[in-house]
Amino acid sequence: MASIATSLGTVTAKPSPTPTASVRAAHQGGILEGANPTHYDSKNPIIVFIIQAGIIIIFCRLLQYPLSKIRQPTVIAEIIGGILLGPSVLGRIPGFSDAIFPNESLPNLSLAANLGLVLFLFLVGLEVDLRLLLKNWKISLSVGAAGMALPFGLGCAISYGLYHEFREDAGLVPISFGTYMLFVGVAMAITAFPVLCRILTELKLLGTEVGLVVLSAGVGNDVVGWILLALCVALVNAGSGIVALYVLLTSIAYILFLVFAIRPVFLRILKQSGSIQNGPTQSMVALTILLCFASAFFTGIIGVHPIFGAFLVGLICPHDGGFAIGLAEKIEDLVAIFFLPLYFALSGLSTNIGLLDSGITWAYVIAVIVIAFVGKFIGGTIAARLCKMVWRESFTVGVLMSCKGLVELIVLPQDVYYLRGHGLGHYLCHHPIDVGLLPALVPEEIGGLEAWGDRLG
């Protein structure tokens, strides 16, 4: 009884909470109660997200005006805008990054950006006629192979100097040169598919022979690149290289499944709903978007980036009647105006040019830029010329195939962060030159391609 009385006494002795003792509910008055709108709240992230999106879109639009005078596409303004907003320039202002782009808020920004990228690649596939794509498969295969082999060899060559120059940096775990060489070679060889698609769309080259050749060659480059990266990850983890073969076989099987199983059923449903003749109904738009996301999900979980799954669904959509045009009109402006600037700017936000702080580092920067551009340009140009394309079209193919920068930034979050504990990821994250991040600063050398696109169209 004494113990009970003691405990009861203890309970009653507790002071009852008062409104001033602690905040028991979130403020509903917002800034009227003195709340800071830039303070990130994980339970209500929309406020900071709106601030971030607004700054990125306005900033990129302001940059685009002067860049358009020298015929640079919007994607260049978005990449440069991200770099300026990131730690390289404005991020050096004390408190700027913590207030506008706090680290804990970036996953939300990345989610929206990648969602927009998936929808954009779906739209690109929607604009491409699969019959015309298959018609140019021989040229595309030649351009893709030559445009990948030469820069891969050059990348492997320069990886020797990079590996022995920087491998003694503090905090790095030893990694075999063979695996490092494979990773750098692949990063040099692949074409930045999202950048390429953005340029082809903006310059209205998707309907031309040059655009179709470059697009299909770029798809092949990136799929091979992701397979080789899967091999690289397996080797770093002391696993079997057979995983790369599994990725390849699964990708081929999935493409066949989409074309011969999903597409006929999908077309039958569209015909029954009248969407092909009269444009897509709301239900058919929902079905198509769900199919796009399901395909992106599958290619993502098998080790190929989700953008390729979305692109494939766009390809199998019918181009007869008004379905493709009607569907594109419903979503393309929102994707281009809102989502894509977030993606390309977010890539720039993660780039810190201040890490390039020595003469030898800048020497390798220049060497990587030259190799990344010249290797793709020469390989693509010669292959196109050997396939009987005229010199002007061949040069156009070579320049477009040299789009670099953003795919490496896709690779880093997907694979390099995963490898950080093994040293390779930590090493590459602190030396962005090694995976060709700075070729994103080269404005794809396409100033005159807009006029060429009009002539080729």
Side-chain angles (χ1 to χ4, degrees):
M1 292 295 292
S3 61
I4 295 175
T6 303
S7 60
L8 286 174
T10 304
V11 171
T12 56
K14 289 182 179 179
S16 44
T18 62
T20 58
S22 62
V23 178
R24 307 178 74 183
H27 292 294
Q28 296 301 307
I31 59 173
L32 301 180
E33 289 187 291
N36 181 2
T38 64
H39 175 71
Y40 178 73
D41 181 4
S42 60
K43 296 180 179 179
N44 186 32
I46 186 64
I47 302 299
V48 172
F49 176 80
I50 291 174
I51 294 173
Q52 294 170 338
I55 290 176
I56 289 173
I57 293 172
I58 294 172
F59 201 75
C60 292
R61 287 286 169 177
L62 291 176
L63 281 174
Q64 172 55 21
Y65 179 74
L67 289 174
S68 65
K69 300 301 181 181
I70 54 174
R71 299 196 174 198
Q72 293 301 302
T74 306
V75 64
I76 302 302
E78 292 163 354
I79 296 172
I80 295 176
I83 293 175
L84 294 178
L85 289 171
S88 300
V89 183
L90 292 179
R92 294 181 176 273
I93 300 175
F96 177 82
S97 295
D98 292 337
I100 307 301
F101 299 103
N103 290 331
E104 58 270 23
S105 72
L106 294 183
N108 297 321
L109 196 62
S110 178
L111 175 61
N114 282 280
L115 176 64
L117 186 65
V118 167
L119 290 174
F120 173 63
L121 267 296
F122 165 72
L123 288 172
V124 171
L126 199 63
E127 291 187 33
V128 176
D129 193 328
L130 188 58
R131 293 167 294 188
L132 296 177
L133 201 64
L134 295 174
K135 180 181 177 182
N136 297 285
W137 72 270
K138 290 184 180 180
I139 303 178
S140 300
L141 184 62
S142 301
V143 170
M148 196 166 191
L150 182 58
F152 181 85
L154 294 174
C156 290
I158 198 173
S159 68
Y160 180 85
L162 291 168
Y163 180 80
H164 289 90
E165 178 66 33
F166 298 110
R167 66 174 179 171
E168 301 297 332
D169 284 8
L172 300 183
V173 179
I175 189 76
S176 70
F177 171 69
T179 304
Y180 178 78
M181 179 182 68
L182 175 63
F183 190 93
V184 175
V186 171
M188 292 290 188
I190 52 182
T191 297
F193 192 57
V195 178
L196 176 63
C197 292
R198 191 77 190 276
I199 292 172
L200 291 175
T201 302
E202 198 163 314
L203 299 183
K204 298 179 175 59
L205 291 172
L206 278 178
T208 66
E209 182 182 8
V210 169
L212 292 172
V213 167
V214 172
L215 184 68
S216 50
V219 171
N221 270 199
D222 279 11
V223 170
V224 172
W226 284 103
I227 292 171
L228 292 177
L229 285 169
L231 174 62
C232 180
V233 173
L235 293 177
V236 169
N237 288 312
S240 171
I242 195 68
V243 66
L245 179 61
Y246 291 156
V247 173
L248 174 61
L249 295 177
T250 306
S251 300
I252 294 174
Y254 179 64
I255 292 173
L256 296 175
F257 175 73
L258 269 182
V259 173
F260 295 106
I262 298 297
R263 188 170 188 267
V265 176
F266 183 51
L267 292 180
R268 189 177 301 114
I269 295 174
L270 292 178
K271 288 179 181 178
Q272 291 176 351
S273 68
S275 294
I276 294 181
Q277 299 81 7
N278 306 317
T281 64
Q282 193 174 72
S283 297
M284 292 303 101
V285 172
L287 175 63
T288 307
I289 296 300
L290 287 174
L291 186 60
C292 168
F293 287 150
S295 182
F297 168 79
F298 184 79
T299 55
I301 64 174
I302 65 172
V304 182
H305 199 276
I307 62 176
F308 296 106
F311 177 73
L312 290 173
V313 170
L315 283 180
I316 67 171
C317 287
H319 291 78
D320 301 325
F323 178 79
I325 296 175
L327 184 59
E329 288 176 347
K330 290 179 181 293
I331 58 177
E332 63 181 349
D333 286 341
L334 178 63
V335 172
I337 294 172
F338 180 76
F339 285 109
L340 286 183
L342 301 185
Y343 172 75
F344 291 109
L346 185 63
S347 300
L349 284 171
S350 62
T351 302
N352 188 358
I353 301 178
L355 295 175
L356 309 174
D357 54 1
S358 67
I360 187 64
T361 302
W362 276 104
Y364 276 115
V365 168
I366 297 171
V368 167
I369 291 176
V370 171
I371 288 174
F373 177 76
V374 173
K376 298 290 286 186
F377 176 75
I378 293 177
T381 299
I382 293 177
R385 181 57 183 163
L386 291 176
C387 291
K388 307 296 178 60
M389 298 182 78
V390 300
W391 276 114
R392 171 167 285 188
E393 292 178 346
S394 300
F395 285 137
T396 306
V397 169
V399 170
L400 289 170
M401 288 297 292
S402 70
C403 296
K404 297 290 291 180
L406 272 294
V407 172
E408 290 80 358
L409 287 166
I410 296 173
V411 170
L412 285 175
Q414 296 279 342
D415 291 300
V416 174
Y417 290 165
Y418 174 67
L419 301 176
R420 186 184 293 265
H422 296 85
L424 177 61
H426 183 77
Y427 171 73
L428 292 178
C429 283
H430 286 78
H431 294 281
I433 55 171
D434 297 6
V435 288
L437 298 184
L438 287 190
L441 299 179
V442 180
E444 276 74 51
E445 303 296 333
I446 58 170
L449 287 185
E450 187 170 11
W452 290 13
D454 293 338
R455 294 172 187 173
L456 293 173

